[in-house]
Amino acid sequence: MRKWLPLLAISLSTFMLLVDLTIVSVAAPAIADGLHSSFAALQWTVDLYVLVLAALMMAAGSISDLLGQRRVFVAGLVIFAVASLACGMAPNTAVLIAARGVQGLGAAAMYATNAALLGSTYTGRDRSVAFGVWGAANGAAAAAGPILGGLLTEHVGWRAIFLVNLPVAAVAALIAILAIAESRGSTGGRVDLPGTAMFTLATTLVVYGLIRAGEDGWTDPVTIGALLAGAAAAAAFLLLERGRTNPMIDLSLFRQPSFSALMLAGAVLTASAFANLVFVSLWAQSVLGLSPMAAGLALTPLAAVAFVVAGAGGRLLHNIAPRHSIGWGLLLVGAGTLLGMLLGPDSGWTVLLPSLCLTGLGVGLASPALASAALAAVPPHRTGMANAAMNTFRQLGYAIALPLFATVAAEHAGRVLADSGSFPNPDAAAKNLTGGGYPDLLAHTSTGTQHAIEHVLRSAYAAGLDGIFLLSGITALVAGGAVLGLVRSPTRSEQPPALDAVAARGRHG
């Protein structure tokens, strides 16, 4: 049993950091109430975590080559635990947001070293078992996030969703120190600090601009300035990477249609399948009046179906070209999210069951093949970079989609409220509504008109969700078509052994 202790530590860390991506969605109304926060501010509790995780993952991998994978992994656990304590004790939203950013730093250190540590610890059949269990931990995290978030929020309090990380991190760190051998890559540990800094600046400015657009509109000078500055920083990042001998990402890889389409697929998969769940959870709790626990359970069909399909698909689809499982998976995600448009003003949560299950089927087909397909699309000496790039794009898709969906929901809901003539400031009411303010808006209406206003508000929220589902569905369908049309199926001789390729970075660089 001792030989599986490293796998336990690594799987615990992966489960913990991925749960923290989704656990906040169910707890968002309770956090907003407890800290007297706006939904726009709460977006940063999700977005800053994901942004830091995505922006620093490649740099963390390079640092681990220099200092050692185990050392960086344990440091990530410690940072994550301390930041989780700060989140759980946060007296206000600003402290919570800052602590979530530090959590992202710890998560990047853990996630960047997970595959390398597994590869350097296990060989042969044991390695296949280890990566299979690790992959299952990834899937289980998606299913457990909403349930765990609802359970803790309802029965303990929202602060518990962060404090629960402390014992998990302590156990994982202790096992790592006692049972995992140190390993290093041979890349020289060169870290692209200018590229990392510019990439972080560009993504943060773009996300800030999108959040600002949801609050103050697209014509707001600050919105325009942030988006233009983000575009300028992105251009500077591209220029920096072109001129470096050891770039954060080799831009020549994007000249290959297969690689570009796969990066798009990674970003769109998380954006289309998961980012909308934040707004579905707010709808379930504020409009339907479900408890946090019930709202979490309502979201689990997607993750549960994805978990089962991904587990079975690894055996059943072994000889199927990855472009088919990824492409058709994205098409199913697109069809599933479009089914969400069946939701109406008088719908209950069960109307979303077909949507969640079909989307979960698509996620289960597409997600496991993304990593191996990205590795197969690049030369062997770029497999570590391709793996990090895929993880980065998947997180960025979520980070960018969240504020964009908030803007779309508010705009669609605002049109319904404006047409009703019941609200003097329909735009402000729409932002309040789609941010979970349905009970407040209803409470401020007179008893005689409450039934009519209730129907208007429910119709407006349904319209907002329809806008999100429509954008998610179309984007996933386009990405699925791009994968089927652009990703080339490599010949057997060209296919690198995916697990060995990722693991090699942990031993040989």
Side-chain angles (χ1 to χ4, degrees), residues 365-404:
L365 286 175
S367 190
L370 275 170
S372 60
L375 296 175
V378 302
H381 69 284
R382 291 301 193 193
T383 52
M385 182 178 288
N387 182 59
M390 175 57 72
N391 287 332
T392 297
F393 271 82
R394 291 184 72 163
Q395 306 309 326
L396 280 180
Y398 190 93
I400 292 173
L402 189 62
L404 188 60

PDB file of all heavy atoms in Angstrom, residues 365-404:
ATOM      1  N   LEU A 365     -17.069  12.611 -23.232  1.00  0.00           N
ATOM      2  CA  LEU A 365     -16.413  12.175 -24.461  1.00  0.00           C
ATOM      3  C   LEU A 365     -15.183  13.025 -24.787  1.00  0.00           C
ATOM      4  O   LEU A 365     -14.132  12.504 -25.167  1.00  0.00           O
ATOM      5  CB  LEU A 365     -17.397  12.247 -25.636  1.00  0.00           C
ATOM      6  CG  LEU A 365     -18.490  11.180 -25.717  1.00  0.00           C
ATOM      7  CD1 LEU A 365     -19.437  11.497 -26.871  1.00  0.00           C
ATOM      8  CD2 LEU A 365     -17.863   9.803 -25.917  1.00  0.00           C
ATOM      9  N   ALA A 366     -15.318  14.328 -24.629  1.00  0.00           N
ATOM     10  CA  ALA A 366     -14.274  15.242 -25.094  1.00  0.00           C
ATOM     11  C   ALA A 366     -13.114  15.403 -24.125  1.00  0.00           C
ATOM     12  O   ALA A 366     -11.950  15.435 -24.526  1.00  0.00           O
ATOM     13  CB  ALA A 366     -14.891  16.609 -25.394  1.00  0.00           C
ATOM     14  N   SER A 367     -13.418  15.512 -22.848  1.00  0.00           N
ATOM     15  CA  SER A 367     -12.399  15.905 -21.886  1.00  0.00           C
ATOM     16  C   SER A 367     -11.209  14.956 -21.797  1.00  0.00           C
ATOM     17  O   SER A 367     -10.059  15.398 -21.822  1.00  0.00           O
ATOM     18  CB  SER A 367     -13.050  16.082 -20.508  1.00  0.00           C
ATOM     19  OG  SER A 367     -12.140  16.671 -19.614  1.00  0.00           O
ATOM     20  N   PRO A 368     -11.412  13.622 -21.702  1.00  0.00           N
ATOM     21  CA  PRO A 368     -10.245  12.745 -21.552  1.00  0.00           C
ATOM     22  C   PRO A 368      -9.305  12.765 -22.744  1.00  0.00           C
ATOM     23  O   PRO A 368      -8.102  12.523 -22.589  1.00  0.00           O
ATOM     24  CB  PRO A 368     -10.875  11.355 -21.392  1.00  0.00           C
ATOM     25  CG  PRO A 368     -12.271  11.603 -20.946  1.00  0.00           C
ATOM     26  CD  PRO A 368     -12.670  12.873 -21.624  1.00  0.00           C
ATOM     27  N   ALA A 369      -9.823  13.042 -23.936  1.00  0.00           N
ATOM     28  CA  ALA A 369      -8.991  12.985 -25.139  1.00  0.00           C
ATOM     29  C   ALA A 369      -8.219  14.266 -25.410  1.00  0.00           C
ATOM     30  O   ALA A 369      -7.305  14.273 -26.236  1.00  0.00           O
ATOM     31  CB  ALA A 369      -9.872  12.655 -26.347  1.00  0.00           C
ATOM     32  N   LEU A 370      -8.570  15.351 -24.727  1.00  0.00           N
ATOM     33  CA  LEU A 370      -7.940  16.634 -25.033  1.00  0.00           C
ATOM     34  C   LEU A 370      -6.435  16.622 -24.775  1.00  0.00           C
ATOM     35  O   LEU A 370      -5.642  17.089 -25.604  1.00  0.00           O
ATOM     36  CB  LEU A 370      -8.593  17.750 -24.215  1.00  0.00           C
ATOM     37  CG  LEU A 370      -9.854  18.377 -24.803  1.00  0.00           C
ATOM     38  CD1 LEU A 370     -10.515  19.291 -23.777  1.00  0.00           C
ATOM     39  CD2 LEU A 370      -9.536  19.143 -26.080  1.00  0.00           C
ATOM     40  N   ALA A 371      -6.036  16.086 -23.623  1.00  0.00           N
ATOM     41  CA  ALA A 371      -4.605  16.105 -23.279  1.00  0.00           C
ATOM     42  C   ALA A 371      -3.786  15.280 -24.246  1.00  0.00           C
ATOM     43  O   ALA A 371      -2.760  15.746 -24.772  1.00  0.00           O
ATOM     44  CB  ALA A 371      -4.413  15.604 -21.853  1.00  0.00           C
ATOM     45  N   SER A 372      -4.218  14.044 -24.521  1.00  0.00           N
ATOM     46  CA  SER A 372      -3.444  13.192 -25.431  1.00  0.00           C
ATOM     47  C   SER A 372      -3.434  13.755 -26.844  1.00  0.00           C
ATOM     48  O   SER A 372      -2.430  13.651 -27.554  1.00  0.00           O
ATOM     49  CB  SER A 372      -4.022  11.772 -25.425  1.00  0.00           C
ATOM     50  OG  SER A 372      -5.377  11.771 -25.851  1.00  0.00           O
ATOM     51  N   ALA A 373      -4.534  14.371 -27.280  1.00  0.00           N
ATOM     52  CA  ALA A 373      -4.573  14.957 -28.623  1.00  0.00           C
ATOM     53  C   ALA A 373      -3.617  16.141 -28.734  1.00  0.00           C
ATOM     54  O   ALA A 373      -2.948  16.315 -29.762  1.00  0.00           O
ATOM     55  CB  ALA A 373      -5.994  15.394 -28.956  1.00  0.00           C
ATOM     56  N   ALA A 374      -3.536  16.958 -27.686  1.00  0.00           N
ATOM     57  CA  ALA A 374      -2.604  18.094 -27.705  1.00  0.00           C
ATOM     58  C   ALA A 374      -1.167  17.614 -27.772  1.00  0.00           C
ATOM     59  O   ALA A 374      -0.335  18.186 -28.478  1.00  0.00           O
ATOM     60  CB  ALA A 374      -2.818  18.963 -26.464  1.00  0.00           C
ATOM     61  N   LEU A 375      -0.841  16.537 -27.051  1.00  0.00           N
ATOM     62  CA  LEU A 375       0.513  15.985 -27.082  1.00  0.00           C
ATOM     63  C   LEU A 375       0.842  15.416 -28.462  1.00  0.00           C
ATOM     64  O   LEU A 375       1.968  15.545 -28.940  1.00  0.00           O
ATOM     65  CB  LEU A 375       0.659  14.895 -26.023  1.00  0.00           C
ATOM     66  CG  LEU A 375       0.514  15.324 -24.562  1.00  0.00           C
ATOM     67  CD1 LEU A 375       0.562  14.128 -23.643  1.00  0.00           C
ATOM     68  CD2 LEU A 375       1.581  16.325 -24.194  1.00  0.00           C
ATOM     69  N   ALA A 376      -0.146  14.785 -29.089  1.00  0.00           N
ATOM     70  CA  ALA A 376       0.079  14.193 -30.399  1.00  0.00           C
ATOM     71  C   ALA A 376       0.241  15.240 -31.493  1.00  0.00           C
ATOM     72  O   ALA A 376       0.761  14.949 -32.568  1.00  0.00           O
ATOM     73  CB  ALA A 376      -1.077  13.255 -30.751  1.00  0.00           C
ATOM     74  N   ALA A 377      -0.196  16.468 -31.221  1.00  0.00           N
ATOM     75  CA  ALA A 377      -0.164  17.523 -32.241  1.00  0.00           C
ATOM     76  C   ALA A 377       1.149  18.289 -32.266  1.00  0.00           C
ATOM     77  O   ALA A 377       1.327  19.170 -33.111  1.00  0.00           O
ATOM     78  CB  ALA A 377      -1.324  18.499 -32.011  1.00  0.00           C
ATOM     79  N   VAL A 378       2.077  18.002 -31.340  1.00  0.00           N
ATOM     80  CA  VAL A 378       3.330  18.768 -31.251  1.00  0.00           C
ATOM     81  C   VAL A 378       4.518  17.822 -31.303  1.00  0.00           C
ATOM     82  O   VAL A 378       4.386  16.618 -31.057  1.00  0.00           O
ATOM     83  CB  VAL A 378       3.384  19.599 -29.944  1.00  0.00           C
ATOM     84  CG1 VAL A 378       2.204  20.546 -29.868  1.00  0.00           C
ATOM     85  CG2 VAL A 378       3.418  18.690 -28.715  1.00  0.00           C
ATOM     86  N   PRO A 379       5.712  18.350 -31.607  1.00  0.00           N
ATOM     87  CA  PRO A 379       6.919  17.520 -31.571  1.00  0.00           C
ATOM     88  C   PRO A 379       7.173  16.995 -30.166  1.00  0.00           C
ATOM     89  O   PRO A 379       6.739  17.608 -29.177  1.00  0.00           O
ATOM     90  CB  PRO A 379       8.032  18.493 -32.001  1.00  0.00           C
ATOM     91  CG  PRO A 379       7.328  19.608 -32.699  1.00  0.00           C
ATOM     92  CD  PRO A 379       5.987  19.730 -32.047  1.00  0.00           C
ATOM     93  N   PRO A 380       7.871  15.871 -30.021  1.00  0.00           N
ATOM     94  CA  PRO A 380       8.102  15.273 -28.692  1.00  0.00           C
ATOM     95  C   PRO A 380       8.738  16.225 -27.684  1.00  0.00           C
ATOM     96  O   PRO A 380       8.407  16.169 -26.494  1.00  0.00           O
ATOM     97  CB  PRO A 380       9.033  14.090 -29.007  1.00  0.00           C
ATOM     98  CG  PRO A 380       8.718  13.721 -30.422  1.00  0.00           C
ATOM     99  CD  PRO A 380       8.402  15.027 -31.099  1.00  0.00           C
ATOM    100  N   HIS A 381       9.635  17.120 -28.142  1.00  0.00           N
ATOM    101  CA  HIS A 381      10.305  18.002 -27.182  1.00  0.00           C
ATOM    102  C   HIS A 381       9.413  19.148 -26.716  1.00  0.00           C
ATOM    103  O   HIS A 381       9.816  19.941 -25.859  1.00  0.00           O
ATOM    104  CB  HIS A 381      11.594  18.565 -27.797  1.00  0.00           C
ATOM    105  CG  HIS A 381      11.384  19.536 -28.920  1.00  0.00           C
ATOM    106  ND1 HIS A 381      11.025  19.125 -30.190  1.00  0.00           N
ATOM    107  CD2 HIS A 381      11.451  20.894 -28.962  1.00  0.00           C
ATOM    108  CE1 HIS A 381      10.905  20.187 -30.973  1.00  0.00           C
ATOM    109  NE2 HIS A 381      11.153  21.263 -30.256  1.00  0.00           N
ATOM    110  N   ARG A 382       8.181  19.244 -27.272  1.00  0.00           N
ATOM    111  CA  ARG A 382       7.251  20.291 -26.853  1.00  0.00           C
ATOM    112  C   ARG A 382       6.053  19.735 -26.089  1.00  0.00           C
ATOM    113  O   ARG A 382       5.075  20.444 -25.868  1.00  0.00           O
ATOM    114  CB  ARG A 382       6.737  21.059 -28.086  1.00  0.00           C
ATOM    115  CG  ARG A 382       7.769  21.923 -28.786  1.00  0.00           C
ATOM    116  CD  ARG A 382       8.352  22.964 -27.853  1.00  0.00           C
ATOM    117  NE  ARG A 382       9.118  23.984 -28.544  1.00  0.00           N
ATOM    118  CZ  ARG A 382       9.930  24.849 -27.949  1.00  0.00           C
ATOM    119  NH1 ARG A 382      10.083  24.790 -26.628  1.00  0.00           N
ATOM    120  NH2 ARG A 382      10.592  25.753 -28.620  1.00  0.00           N
ATOM    121  N   THR A 383       6.104  18.473 -25.679  1.00  0.00           N
ATOM    122  CA  THR A 383       4.937  17.876 -25.019  1.00  0.00           C
ATOM    123  C   THR A 383       4.636  18.530 -23.677  1.00  0.00           C
ATOM    124  O   THR A 383       3.476  18.701 -23.302  1.00  0.00           O
ATOM    125  CB  THR A 383       5.152  16.364 -24.821  1.00  0.00           C
ATOM    126  OG1 THR A 383       6.406  16.148 -24.168  1.00  0.00           O
ATOM    127  CG2 THR A 383       5.133  15.637 -26.153  1.00  0.00           C
ATOM    128  N   GLY A 384       5.674  18.864 -22.909  1.00  0.00           N
ATOM    129  CA  GLY A 384       5.441  19.532 -21.632  1.00  0.00           C
ATOM    130  C   GLY A 384       4.763  20.867 -21.822  1.00  0.00           C
ATOM    131  O   GLY A 384       3.841  21.227 -21.087  1.00  0.00           O
ATOM    132  N   MET A 385       5.211  21.626 -22.827  1.00  0.00           N
ATOM    133  CA  MET A 385       4.606  22.923 -23.129  1.00  0.00           C
ATOM    134  C   MET A 385       3.167  22.755 -23.600  1.00  0.00           C
ATOM    135  O   MET A 385       2.280  23.528 -23.215  1.00  0.00           O
ATOM    136  CB  MET A 385       5.435  23.648 -24.197  1.00  0.00           C
ATOM    137  CG  MET A 385       4.926  25.024 -24.567  1.00  0.00           C
ATOM    138  SD  MET A 385       6.006  25.828 -25.783  1.00  0.00           S
ATOM    139  CE  MET A 385       7.428  26.219 -24.766  1.00  0.00           C
ATOM    140  N   ALA A 386       2.919  21.739 -24.425  1.00  0.00           N
ATOM    141  CA  ALA A 386       1.566  21.509 -24.933  1.00  0.00           C
ATOM    142  C   ALA A 386       0.609  21.158 -23.799  1.00  0.00           C
ATOM    143  O   ALA A 386      -0.538  21.621 -23.760  1.00  0.00           O
ATOM    144  CB  ALA A 386       1.578  20.389 -25.974  1.00  0.00           C
ATOM    145  N   ASN A 387       1.070  20.338 -22.853  1.00  0.00           N
ATOM    146  CA  ASN A 387       0.240  19.966 -21.712  1.00  0.00           C
ATOM    147  C   ASN A 387      -0.107  21.188 -20.864  1.00  0.00           C
ATOM    148  O   ASN A 387      -1.258  21.391 -20.462  1.00  0.00           O
ATOM    149  CB  ASN A 387       0.976  18.926 -20.872  1.00  0.00           C
ATOM    150  CG  ASN A 387       0.147  18.446 -19.689  1.00  0.00           C
ATOM    151  OD1 ASN A 387      -0.944  17.918 -19.852  1.00  0.00           O
ATOM    152  ND2 ASN A 387       0.669  18.631 -18.489  1.00  0.00           N
ATOM    153  N   ALA A 388       0.907  22.036 -20.597  1.00  0.00           N
ATOM    154  CA  ALA A 388       0.671  23.244 -19.808  1.00  0.00           C
ATOM    155  C   ALA A 388      -0.243  24.212 -20.546  1.00  0.00           C
ATOM    156  O   ALA A 388      -1.109  24.856 -19.947  1.00  0.00           O
ATOM    157  CB  ALA A 388       1.999  23.923 -19.481  1.00  0.00           C
ATOM    158  N   ALA A 389      -0.053  24.328 -21.865  1.00  0.00           N
ATOM    159  CA  ALA A 389      -0.879  25.236 -22.658  1.00  0.00           C
ATOM    160  C   ALA A 389      -2.347  24.796 -22.636  1.00  0.00           C
ATOM    161  O   ALA A 389      -3.255  25.629 -22.517  1.00  0.00           O
ATOM    162  CB  ALA A 389      -0.372  25.301 -24.094  1.00  0.00           C
ATOM    163  N   MET A 390      -2.587  23.481 -22.736  1.00  0.00           N
ATOM    164  CA  MET A 390      -3.964  22.985 -22.706  1.00  0.00           C
ATOM    165  C   MET A 390      -4.620  23.308 -21.369  1.00  0.00           C
ATOM    166  O   MET A 390      -5.763  23.785 -21.311  1.00  0.00           O
ATOM    167  CB  MET A 390      -3.995  21.476 -22.969  1.00  0.00           C
ATOM    168  CG  MET A 390      -5.375  20.845 -22.828  1.00  0.00           C
ATOM    169  SD  MET A 390      -6.642  21.603 -23.898  1.00  0.00           S
ATOM    170  CE  MET A 390      -6.122  20.979 -25.496  1.00  0.00           C
ATOM    171  N   ASN A 391      -3.914  23.052 -20.264  1.00  0.00           N
ATOM    172  CA  ASN A 391      -4.464  23.380 -18.948  1.00  0.00           C
ATOM    173  C   ASN A 391      -4.746  24.873 -18.818  1.00  0.00           C
ATOM    174  O   ASN A 391      -5.749  25.290 -18.239  1.00  0.00           O
ATOM    175  CB  ASN A 391      -3.495  22.938 -17.847  1.00  0.00           C
ATOM    176  CG  ASN A 391      -3.467  21.439 -17.672  1.00  0.00           C
ATOM    177  OD1 ASN A 391      -4.453  20.755 -17.944  1.00  0.00           O
ATOM    178  ND2 ASN A 391      -2.336  20.904 -17.236  1.00  0.00           N
ATOM    179  N   THR A 392      -3.848  25.699 -19.370  1.00  0.00           N
ATOM    180  CA  THR A 392      -4.014  27.151 -19.306  1.00  0.00           C
ATOM    181  C   THR A 392      -5.246  27.600 -20.083  1.00  0.00           C
ATOM    182  O   THR A 392      -6.060  28.394 -19.586  1.00  0.00           O
ATOM    183  CB  THR A 392      -2.762  27.858 -19.857  1.00  0.00           C
ATOM    184  OG1 THR A 392      -1.640  27.534 -19.035  1.00  0.00           O
ATOM    185  CG2 THR A 392      -2.946  29.363 -19.878  1.00  0.00           C
ATOM    186  N   PHE A 393      -5.402  27.098 -21.293  1.00  0.00           N
ATOM    187  CA  PHE A 393      -6.540  27.510 -22.115  1.00  0.00           C
ATOM    188  C   PHE A 393      -7.862  27.047 -21.508  1.00  0.00           C
ATOM    189  O   PHE A 393      -8.875  27.754 -21.596  1.00  0.00           O
ATOM    190  CB  PHE A 393      -6.387  26.968 -23.541  1.00  0.00           C
ATOM    191  CG  PHE A 393      -5.640  27.897 -24.454  1.00  0.00           C
ATOM    192  CD1 PHE A 393      -4.254  27.923 -24.457  1.00  0.00           C
ATOM    193  CD2 PHE A 393      -6.307  28.773 -25.287  1.00  0.00           C
ATOM    194  CE1 PHE A 393      -3.551  28.785 -25.288  1.00  0.00           C
ATOM    195  CE2 PHE A 393      -5.625  29.647 -26.124  1.00  0.00           C
ATOM    196  CZ  PHE A 393      -4.243  29.654 -26.116  1.00  0.00           C
ATOM    197  N   ARG A 394      -7.860  25.887 -20.878  1.00  0.00           N
ATOM    198  CA  ARG A 394      -9.100  25.411 -20.267  1.00  0.00           C
ATOM    199  C   ARG A 394      -9.534  26.334 -19.126  1.00  0.00           C
ATOM    200  O   ARG A 394     -10.717  26.640 -18.988  1.00  0.00           O
ATOM    201  CB  ARG A 394      -8.919  23.977 -19.762  1.00  0.00           C
ATOM    202  CG  ARG A 394      -8.767  22.966 -20.885  1.00  0.00           C
ATOM    203  CD  ARG A 394      -8.690  21.542 -20.389  1.00  0.00           C
ATOM    204  NE  ARG A 394      -9.981  21.077 -19.898  1.00  0.00           N
ATOM    205  CZ  ARG A 394     -10.284  19.802 -19.716  1.00  0.00           C
ATOM    206  NH1 ARG A 394      -9.398  18.859 -19.977  1.00  0.00           N
ATOM    207  NH2 ARG A 394     -11.468  19.449 -19.261  1.00  0.00           N
ATOM    208  N   GLN A 395      -8.578  26.788 -18.326  1.00  0.00           N
ATOM    209  CA  GLN A 395      -8.925  27.689 -17.224  1.00  0.00           C
ATOM    210  C   GLN A 395      -9.315  29.077 -17.741  1.00  0.00           C
ATOM    211  O   GLN A 395     -10.224  29.714 -17.212  1.00  0.00           O
ATOM    212  CB  GLN A 395      -7.765  27.803 -16.234  1.00  0.00           C
ATOM    213  CG  GLN A 395      -7.242  26.479 -15.700  1.00  0.00           C
ATOM    214  CD  GLN A 395      -8.323  25.576 -15.151  1.00  0.00           C
ATOM    215  OE1 GLN A 395      -9.311  26.035 -14.592  1.00  0.00           O
ATOM    216  NE2 GLN A 395      -8.144  24.271 -15.313  1.00  0.00           N
ATOM    217  N   LEU A 396      -8.619  29.548 -18.773  1.00  0.00           N
ATOM    218  CA  LEU A 396      -8.935  30.871 -19.322  1.00  0.00           C
ATOM    219  C   LEU A 396     -10.336  30.910 -19.926  1.00  0.00           C
ATOM    220  O   LEU A 396     -11.022  31.933 -19.853  1.00  0.00           O
ATOM    221  CB  LEU A 396      -7.911  31.267 -20.390  1.00  0.00           C
ATOM    222  CG  LEU A 396      -6.570  31.805 -19.891  1.00  0.00           C
ATOM    223  CD1 LEU A 396      -5.680  32.156 -21.075  1.00  0.00           C
ATOM    224  CD2 LEU A 396      -6.765  33.024 -19.008  1.00  0.00           C
ATOM    225  N   GLY A 397     -10.746  29.800 -20.527  1.00  0.00           N
ATOM    226  CA  GLY A 397     -12.092  29.758 -21.099  1.00  0.00           C
ATOM    227  C   GLY A 397     -13.140  30.050 -20.046  1.00  0.00           C
ATOM    228  O   GLY A 397     -14.084  30.817 -20.269  1.00  0.00           O
ATOM    229  N   TYR A 398     -12.980  29.470 -18.876  1.00  0.00           N
ATOM    230  CA  TYR A 398     -13.909  29.688 -17.766  1.00  0.00           C
ATOM    231  C   TYR A 398     -13.832  31.118 -17.259  1.00  0.00           C
ATOM    232  O   TYR A 398     -14.855  31.775 -17.020  1.00  0.00           O
ATOM    233  CB  TYR A 398     -13.581  28.704 -16.642  1.00  0.00           C
ATOM    234  CG  TYR A 398     -14.597  28.647 -15.530  1.00  0.00           C
ATOM    235  CD1 TYR A 398     -15.632  27.726 -15.558  1.00  0.00           C
ATOM    236  CD2 TYR A 398     -14.523  29.511 -14.449  1.00  0.00           C
ATOM    237  CE1 TYR A 398     -16.559  27.660 -14.530  1.00  0.00           C
ATOM    238  CE2 TYR A 398     -15.449  29.452 -13.412  1.00  0.00           C
ATOM    239  CZ  TYR A 398     -16.466  28.527 -13.462  1.00  0.00           C
ATOM    240  OH  TYR A 398     -17.392  28.471 -12.451  1.00  0.00           O
ATOM    241  N   ALA A 399     -12.596  31.626 -17.094  1.00  0.00           N
ATOM    242  CA  ALA A 399     -12.403  32.964 -16.536  1.00  0.00           C
ATOM    243  C   ALA A 399     -13.013  34.045 -17.420  1.00  0.00           C
ATOM    244  O   ALA A 399     -13.580  35.023 -16.928  1.00  0.00           O
ATOM    245  CB  ALA A 399     -10.909  33.241 -16.338  1.00  0.00           C
ATOM    246  N   ILE A 400     -12.883  33.892 -18.729  1.00  0.00           N
ATOM    247  CA  ILE A 400     -13.417  34.900 -19.651  1.00  0.00           C
ATOM    248  C   ILE A 400     -14.920  34.754 -19.822  1.00  0.00           C
ATOM    249  O   ILE A 400     -15.652  35.740 -19.945  1.00  0.00           O
ATOM    250  CB  ILE A 400     -12.694  34.801 -21.011  1.00  0.00           C
ATOM    251  CG1 ILE A 400     -11.226  35.232 -20.849  1.00  0.00           C
ATOM    252  CG2 ILE A 400     -13.386  35.653 -22.073  1.00  0.00           C
ATOM    253  CD1 ILE A 400     -10.377  35.021 -22.082  1.00  0.00           C
ATOM    254  N   ALA A 401     -15.403  33.511 -19.809  1.00  0.00           N
ATOM    255  CA  ALA A 401     -16.838  33.277 -20.032  1.00  0.00           C
ATOM    256  C   ALA A 401     -17.691  33.840 -18.904  1.00  0.00           C
ATOM    257  O   ALA A 401     -18.792  34.353 -19.148  1.00  0.00           O
ATOM    258  CB  ALA A 401     -17.111  31.784 -20.202  1.00  0.00           C
ATOM    259  N   LEU A 402     -17.227  33.757 -17.673  1.00  0.00           N
ATOM    260  CA  LEU A 402     -18.054  34.156 -16.533  1.00  0.00           C
ATOM    261  C   LEU A 402     -18.514  35.611 -16.614  1.00  0.00           C
ATOM    262  O   LEU A 402     -19.721  35.883 -16.551  1.00  0.00           O
ATOM    263  CB  LEU A 402     -17.299  33.895 -15.230  1.00  0.00           C
ATOM    264  CG  LEU A 402     -18.112  34.068 -13.943  1.00  0.00           C
ATOM    265  CD1 LEU A 402     -19.271  33.088 -13.898  1.00  0.00           C
ATOM    266  CD2 LEU A 402     -17.216  33.867 -12.718  1.00  0.00           C
ATOM    267  N   PRO A 403     -17.617  36.599 -16.778  1.00  0.00           N
ATOM    268  CA  PRO A 403     -18.111  37.981 -16.890  1.00  0.00           C
ATOM    269  C   PRO A 403     -18.875  38.236 -18.179  1.00  0.00           C
ATOM    270  O   PRO A 403     -19.790  39.057 -18.210  1.00  0.00           O
ATOM    271  CB  PRO A 403     -16.826  38.814 -16.819  1.00  0.00           C
ATOM    272  CG  PRO A 403     -15.744  37.910 -17.270  1.00  0.00           C
ATOM    273  CD  PRO A 403     -16.142  36.549 -16.771  1.00  0.00           C
ATOM    274  N   LEU A 404     -18.496  37.529 -19.249  1.00  0.00           N
ATOM    275  CA  LEU A 404     -19.218  37.699 -20.506  1.00  0.00           C
ATOM    276  C   LEU A 404     -20.652  37.210 -20.371  1.00  0.00           C
ATOM    277  O   LEU A 404     -21.604  37.872 -20.815  1.00  0.00           O
ATOM    278  CB  LEU A 404     -18.489  36.933 -21.616  1.00  0.00           C
ATOM    279  CG  LEU A 404     -18.987  37.152 -23.043  1.00  0.00           C
ATOM    280  CD1 LEU A 404     -18.882  38.616 -23.438  1.00  0.00           C
ATOM    281  CD2 LEU A 404     -18.201  36.280 -24.020  1.00  0.00           C
TER     282      LEU A 404
END
